[in-house]
Amino acid sequence: MSTASSEGSRVVLITGGNRGIGLACAQAFAALGDRVAVTYRSKPPTDEDASFMAVRCDVTSTEQVDVAFTEVEQRWGRVDVVVANAGITQDALTMRMSEDSFTQVLDANLTGAFRTAKRAIGPMVKARSGRLIFISSVVALSGSAGQANYAASKAGLIGLARSFARELASRNITANVVAPGPVETDMTAALSDARQSELAAAVPIGRFATAEEIAAAVLFLASPHAGAITGAVLPVDGGLGMGH
């Protein structure tokens, strides 16, 4: 049975691809020659990121997800690789966390990934080929104080991906999860130096991962070399989540 489309000829859609991990993934796929589309909710990538297509899409809207896919399909054809990366945080200790904060984070991070993957699956099944990659987090298995909503949403991605893996394996479609630890992004750069040092000290390798290191793991799982890997959780966390 054939593997997924060859590197450099694929159509790749990355949600939340305007910055951080998503942008690094987009740049890495584009560097291989793939046709890459990124979704963004409010701020598109800068002009210098013109090597890929940017589509406005809020993944909490099924209609917007459908429109985004349709726009990509009309330009390039079916999507071969989906990277479900879009996500939000609304941190608070559970006693202070509103139900809205909990449900909004799950809707964006977990249900949004479901909406995205569900829209992609139909054409992939017909083509008997595809890659679904979900960006989770080390906190999915370890938990994180003040992030019950975020941790629950990222843990849910594992069950979601593994269910897709079982449903779609016979159609040569894989579904895998990348679980980063602390990563050098705008979000972590906004933390105080003391907090950054505290987080880095907890990581066995003693530093944050780079967004490019996360992208390298995503590229591997999307590659023909990973055709026998499905339902896997690949940590890129510097050893932070060992034992979980």
Side-chain angles (χ1 to χ4, degrees), residues 1-141:
M1 184 176 291
S2 62
T3 58
S5 300
S6 301
E7 293 173 349
S9 64
R10 300 167 296 191
V11 177
V12 181
L13 187 145
I14 301 165
T15 64
N18 56 321
R19 60 191 178 94
I21 292 170
L23 180 57
C25 290
Q27 291 168 334
F29 278 111
L32 292 176
D34 291 316
R35 290 160 291 176
V36 181
V38 300
T39 73
Y40 66 94
R41 190 173 53 172
S42 54
K43 184 180 179 183
T46 61
D47 291 339
E48 66 189 39
D49 301 319
S51 56
F52 39 83
M53 173 182 177
V55 184
R56 183 186 292 273
C57 174
D58 184 340
V59 296
T60 64
S61 165
T62 302
E63 181 181 2
Q64 288 191 36
V65 169
D66 180 54
V67 168
F69 269 87
T70 300
E71 189 173 336
V72 174
E73 289 164 347
Q74 288 175 344
R75 181 170 176 180
W76 290 324
R78 71 175 179 87
V79 174
D80 300 295
V81 179
V82 166
V83 181
N85 169 72
I88 62 172
T89 57
Q90 291 186 29
D91 297 350
L93 293 174
T94 302
M95 289 181 66
R96 299 189 182 114
M97 184 180 290
S98 69
E99 187 170 324
D100 281 347
S101 288
F102 189 86
T103 57
Q104 285 168 14
V105 169
L106 260 70
D107 191 25
N109 299 5
L110 179 56
T111 314
F114 166 78
R115 292 183 186 101
T116 302
K118 184 177 180 182
R119 177 58 177 79
I121 283 169
M124 287 182 177
V125 167
K126 288 180 183 177
R128 298 183 68 87
S129 177
R131 295 282 191 264
L132 303 172
I133 301 166
F134 301 86
I135 306 300
S136 181
S137 168
V138 65
V139 305
L141 298 177

